Amino acid sequence: WSFVRGPSGTQGKALAVIPADSVLGRWREAVANPNRQAEATKLGEQVQALFTGVRPVAEKSPDRILFDNIVSGDGPLLRNLDLARFAKPRAKGTGFGLPKDRFTEDGGLAVASNTVVEIRLPAALFRDREFVVDGKLETASEHPVVQFQVGPNRIWDGKSVVVASGAGYLKLLRGHAEFRRCFPLFLCFPDVVPVDEVVSLKMFHREDDPLERLFLSAAQKLKLDKLWAEHRFISRQPTAENDYLPQFIDFVTQDQPKELLAYYEGMRPTFQKRADEFEKDLHAAIPKQLDALLEFAARAYRRPLTDKERAKLRELYQTIRKKGAAHDEAFRGVLARVLIAPAYLFRIEKPAPGLHASAVNDWELATRLSYFLWASAPDDELRTLAAAGKLRDPKTLQGQVQRMLKDDRTRALAVEFGTQWIHVRGFDELKEKNEKLFPTFDANLRAAIYEESILFFQDLFQHDRPVAHVLDADATYLNETLAKHYGIPGVTGPQFRRVEKIRQYGRGGLLGLASVQTKESGASRTSPTLRGSWVSETLLGEKLPKPPPDVPKIAEEEGAAKLTVRQQVEMHSKAPQCAVCHVRVDPFGFALEKYDAIGRRREKDLGGLAVDTRAKLKDGTEFDGIDGLRTYLLTKKNEVIVRLFCRKLLGYALGRQVSLSDTALLDEMVIELNKPGGTVTTAVQRVVGSPQFRMIRGADLVEGD
């Protein structure tokens, strides 16, 4: 055993036992001067107080350094003393060191394996020192592998393993090898792309063996291998290596022995062989890539290609190649031709000759259905059914509607139909609000408000809700940002989740969406007229005349005229030319005045004036607030709202304006929805099964006949 003094804190210089600016250093300087005896006496008293008192607190003070140097075991004060003579008696087991009989004749300490020996040593012994213990393993030991652990807290330093040759040693090596397989020293070169003066022929380096062995399934491994194979085609590394090899050789053999040049020159055939094999692979892949391109064209056209179309696309490829273009360029030329073809850009349907309507074929029906419910091209299942001629079977078609409505791709229906119907599509890009008055109306909040509207409609179709759900829903989708905006507690995190019982917070249905309340407001204030017009036109389907010219305006900000927005609108609507419309729409807007211009609930407006949500319609009907308006619409206008929903859904599905000839179908849809259990799926099934959806006019029918 030994205590080794190191350079810690001394940086190789001799340790200053008595710092010159310490109290003892100043005493020594004063006592040597006859003219400073009085000062020396005072300093002597301070020295006595220092060494009879507690250790100084200031870590780097001269007196702290002096104290530690003097009281250390090999310091000038204690170096030559037999400390054992001065030690106070201690209880058994609490003294320093070990009994003498524990040590061997050569001063060693013999310890059995799996044994812990605790030794108490004075802390002063370790100051500026490293405690070193040499350990050895007896060859006759039953445990050929021993780990030595020495430290104040039995912390292993990771280096104290002693191994005897034999089976134990081989087992240890196998264990280390297995560990390295799981945790290799490094996984990839730090710089694959050459930088500065480094020259490399490699454009990428694959070293994902640990990933494949430890984490990936067989299917995932095949997928990863396929991606690497595709990457090889994209990067063309074998060809690039061979092309750059001469430049590489010139660079790395400058001022080098001729043997190095000969070594690299001998590698040229190997690189050339790899490049030639890769070029063969490229050439062999061309027919397969062209077949894949034609398959893509069939998906883009949403039907099988005709023989003529296939021949034309192949002919175009050969024409481009004959002009000297490479395969890639010719391939891109054919792809561009596919993407500008009318069959891709337009949903073309071929009517039968004559005046009478006929059923669309299975491919056209698949396209109609997929664009109705998913706003996208048919998926593989629809294409398979269409190719087999089975999609037009009523039961098959009904089953596909059920499947597609359960799919997450109904989000497109929520966006394209739902948010367009209530006029909030693209709400996340709405920036027309006064930033000083509404500083919280940032991109995150806009996105959250818009996402709620989308998820509301997606839930409506995916979970087959009744049509009345658009008004009387007592649940919505929130994340933490939107929940704080609404004042709804208990929602944390950025993810959206369905939250029940939100009527108590003034939410629920279309009327409670902040997207609607915000969109139908001004930049700096609410607008009962805009909100009332939204209810009349969007929920009730009424047609309002355009406002007359030179309509007087009300104040742009709330409280500016010391009147509420409602009071200003009521004064404005007294004008005869304005009253005609305002008496129809304003009461609906007044009922929503407890929501500010960005959809937050409030009791007072921005001017500090109390808001009034009481409303009275032209026919004398009275209600109060969002709950009163919702009740009025569900009881007095339920059939109107259901019919309007059906009309909007049918028009979206057919991609045209609903006409008089669709009245019978609308009547059937309303009847079905008003039955017990009538849901939005019922409406969708009625639309898809209707002649309007499944048939097309005769080719000879003139518009207007």
Side-chain angles (χ1 to χ4, degrees):
W1 299 17
S2 61
F3 293 92
V4 182
R5 183 182 296 278
S8 175
T10 63
Q11 299 180 350
K13 299 178 181 179
L15 183 66
V17 176
I18 303 176
D21 52 350
S22 66
V23 64
L24 183 56
R26 288 185 282 120
W27 174 82
R28 294 177 64 187
E29 181 182 354
V31 77
N33 189 339
N35 298 325
R36 299 175 59 186
Q37 293 306 307
E39 180 183 357
T41 300
K42 292 182 179 180
L43 289 172
E45 294 174 353
Q46 294 178 20
V47 171
Q48 181 183 12
L50 173 65
F51 289 109
T52 57
V54 296
R55 187 187 187 200
V57 177
E59 183 176 353
K60 296 183 180 181
S61 67
D63 289 343
R64 167 77 170 264
I65 296 173
L66 171 68
F67 185 93
D68 291 344
N69 290 343
I70 295 298
V71 302
S72 65
D74 60 348
L77 182 63
L78 306 176
R79 182 181 300 152
N80 298 317
L81 294 179
D82 183 4
L83 298 181
R85 296 174 56 189
F86 301 96
K88 296 180 180 180
R90 290 177 175 268
K92 186 177 181 180
T94 62
F96 291 121
L98 292 175
K100 184 178 181 180
D101 57 7
R102 290 292 305 273
F103 295 90
T104 61
E105 293 182 359
D106 59 356
L109 179 65
V111 180
S113 61
N114 298 323
T115 301
V116 176
V117 178
E118 294 187 0
I119 305 174
R120 298 183 71 253
L121 296 174
L125 289 178
F126 291 89
R127 192 173 69 84
D128 297 321
R129 292 176 176 83
E130 179 183 8
F131 182 50
V132 179
V133 177
D134 293 328
K136 64 180 181 179
L137 174 65
E138 290 186 4
T139 56
S141 172
E142 296 179 0
H143 303 280
V145 180
V146 173
Q147 172 183 313
F148 294 99
Q149 301 183 27
V150 179
N153 298 310
R154 304 179 191 173
I155 299 175
W156 178 40
D157 62 5
K159 302 176 183 178
S160 308
V161 176
V162 178
V163 185
S165 61
Y169 176 67
L170 296 178
K171 183 178 180 181
L172 180 67
L173 292 181
R174 288 195 298 269
H176 286 173
E178 183 62 25
F179 182 87
R180 286 192 295 270
R181 288 182 71 245
C182 294
F183 305 99
L185 183 60
F186 57 85
L187 291 178
C188 193
F189 298 117
D191 294 304
V192 175
V193 179
V195 294
D196 299 330
E197 296 183 357
V198 178
V199 176
S200 173
L201 290 176
K202 295 290 184 182
M203 292 184 289
F204 63 87
H205 176 72
R206 180 179 182 181
E207 198 173 49
D208 48 20
D209 176 69
L211 174 67
E212 291 190 348
R213 282 190 295 100
L214 302 174
F215 297 100
L216 301 187
S217 64
Q220 291 170 327
K221 182 179 181 300
L222 289 175
K223 184 177 180 180
L224 181 60
D225 291 341
K226 182 181 178 182
L227 291 173
W228 275 111
E230 293 175 354
H231 186 267
R232 175 172 172 263
F233 268 79
I234 295 171
S235 65
R236 301 194 174 189
Q237 170 137 335
T239 300
E241 283 182 345
N242 191 54
D243 291 341
Y244 294 134
L245 182 60
Q247 181 181 354
F248 175 82
I249 294 176
D250 290 342
F251 186 89
V252 299
T253 59
Q254 294 180 27
D255 303 324
Q256 297 296 323
K258 294 181 179 180
E259 292 78 8
L260 183 62
L261 176 61
Y263 169 77
Y264 281 116
E265 288 291 346
M267 296 177 64
R268 285 182 183 266
T270 302
F271 279 81
Q272 185 65 53
K273 181 181 178 181
R274 284 206 298 258
D276 292 342
E277 291 175 349
F278 177 72
E279 290 298 327
K280 290 180 181 179
D281 292 341
L282 282 180
H283 186 74
I286 289 177
K288 298 178 182 179
Q289 292 174 353
L290 289 179
D291 290 342
L293 179 56
L294 294 179
E295 174 61 24
F296 171 78
R299 289 180 174 274
Y301 294 173
R302 300 170 292 276
R303 58 168 174 75
L305 298 181
T306 64
D307 293 340
K308 184 177 181 180
E309 288 172 330
R310 287 179 174 273
K312 284 288 186 183
L313 292 175
R314 290 185 180 276
E315 181 182 344
L316 175 61
Y317 173 82
Q318 295 298 336
T319 300
I320 299 175
R321 289 299 302 270
K322 289 177 181 178
K323 292 182 179 181
H327 165 67
D328 290 0
E329 185 177 354
F331 188 95
R332 287 193 292 268
V334 178
L335 178 60
R337 174 66 182 84
V338 171
L339 297 179
I340 64 172
Y344 170 69
L345 297 175
F346 303 100
R347 288 164 51 184
I348 300 174
E349 297 174 343
K350 187 176 181 180
L355 299 176
H356 298 290
S358 60
V360 296
N361 63 41
D362 284 76
W363 292 101
E364 293 166 346
L365 183 58
T367 298
R368 286 189 177 190
L369 186 60
S370 64
Y371 276 94
F372 172 27
L373 299 182
W374 289 347
S376 183
D379 67 348
D380 289 339
E381 186 166 340
L382 285 176
R383 289 173 57 82
T384 300
L385 291 172
K390 297 180 179 180
L391 187 58
R392 284 183 290 176
D393 177 73
K395 291 185 178 180
T396 301
L397 189 59
Q398 186 178 26
Q400 287 302 303
V401 170
Q402 294 283 1
R403 175 184 75 90
M404 296 175 71
L405 285 177
K406 296 296 182 182
D407 195 282
D408 286 341
R409 281 172 282 190
T410 51
R411 179 182 176 88
L413 178 62
V415 173
E416 302 298 335
F417 167 70
T419 63
Q420 287 201 79
W421 172 34
I422 63 174
H423 309 299
V424 298
R425 193 181 190 284
F427 180 88
D428 53 334
E429 299 179 0
L430 178 67
K431 302 177 182 179
E432 302 169 356
K433 294 295 176 181
N434 189 315
E435 296 181 358
K436 293 183 179 180
L437 296 177
F438 308 108
T440 62
F441 192 67
D442 57 11
N444 290 333
L445 179 58
R446 294 197 302 269
I449 292 174
Y450 188 39
E451 185 67 13
E452 178 195 20
S453 302
I454 296 173
L455 293 177
F456 178 84
F457 278 106
Q458 187 173 352
D459 174 87
L460 179 73
F461 288 102
Q462 270 193 314
H463 294 90
D464 196 18
R465 311 288 185 188
V467 174
H469 186 78
V470 299
L471 288 178
D472 69 356
D474 195 14
T476 190
Y477 287 82
L478 304 174
N479 67 354
E480 183 175 358
T481 298
L482 188 55
K484 287 183 177 180
H485 185 69
Y486 284 168
I488 298 178
V491 180
T492 59
Q495 69 278 10
F496 276 82
R497 79 294 311 262
R498 182 177 171 85
V499 180
E500 307 282 348
K501 307 297 182 183
I502 46 92
R503 289 264 197 93
Q504 57 184 312
Y505 302 104
R507 301 297 161 182
L510 300 182
L511 296 175
L513 293 177
S515 58
V516 172
Q517 298 160 354
T518 304
K519 188 70 180 295
E520 306 305 325
S521 296
S524 303
R525 60 169 174 80
T526 61
S527 175
T529 302
L530 288 178
R531 290 177 176 175
S533 299
W534 180 88
V535 172
S536 295
E537 295 179 331
T538 305
L539 299 183
L540 302 180
E542 298 179 356
K543 298 294 183 182
L544 299 174
K546 294 182 179 181
D550 302 326
V551 175
K553 297 182 179 181
I554 63 176
E556 290 296 327
E557 295 189 11
E558 296 177 351
K562 296 184 180 180
L563 297 172
T564 64
V565 172
R566 172 179 183 145
Q567 291 169 336
Q568 295 181 64
V569 170
E570 287 175 335
M571 293 178 59
H572 167 81
S573 60
K574 291 180 179 180
Q577 69 272 25
C578 301
V580 177
C581 290
H582 282 277
V583 72
R584 295 171 58 184
V585 301
D586 286 349
F588 298 137
F590 292 153
L592 300 174
E593 270 296 275
K594 275 198 175 180
Y595 300 91
D596 69 6
I598 59 173
R600 295 176 299 191
R601 287 190 77 186
R602 62 181 185 173
E603 296 297 328
K604 295 182 179 181
D605 64 13
L606 294 178
L609 302 175
V611 294
D612 183 1
T613 59
R614 294 171 298 172
K616 183 176 182 180
L617 300 178
K618 186 178 180 180
D619 62 2
T621 302
E622 296 184 11
F623 49 82
D624 188 5
I626 188 174
D627 293 329
L629 175 58
R630 182 187 293 115
T631 301
Y632 167 78
L633 294 174
L634 288 171
T635 56
K636 303 290 186 178
K637 297 294 183 179
N638 179 66
E639 188 168 340
V640 174
I641 294 173
V642 171
R643 189 174 189 85
L644 181 64
F645 175 85
C646 294
R647 186 181 185 88
K648 293 291 184 180
L649 186 67
L650 178 61
Y652 175 78
L654 300 179
R656 63 168 173 80
Q657 186 175 5
V658 176
S659 63
L660 184 63
S661 61
D662 300 317
T663 302
L665 175 58
L666 288 174
D667 291 341
E668 294 174 3
M669 293 173 66
V670 172
I671 291 173
E672 290 294 326
L673 288 176
N674 284 332
K675 291 180 180 179
T679 60
V680 292
T681 300
T682 306
V684 173
Q685 293 283 16
R686 272 289 180 177
V687 170
V688 173
S690 68
Q692 288 93 324
F693 192 83
R694 301 182 61 181
M695 303 188 74
I696 188 173
R697 293 179 177 182
D700 299 327
L701 187 67
V702 179
E703 189 71 26
D705 289 351

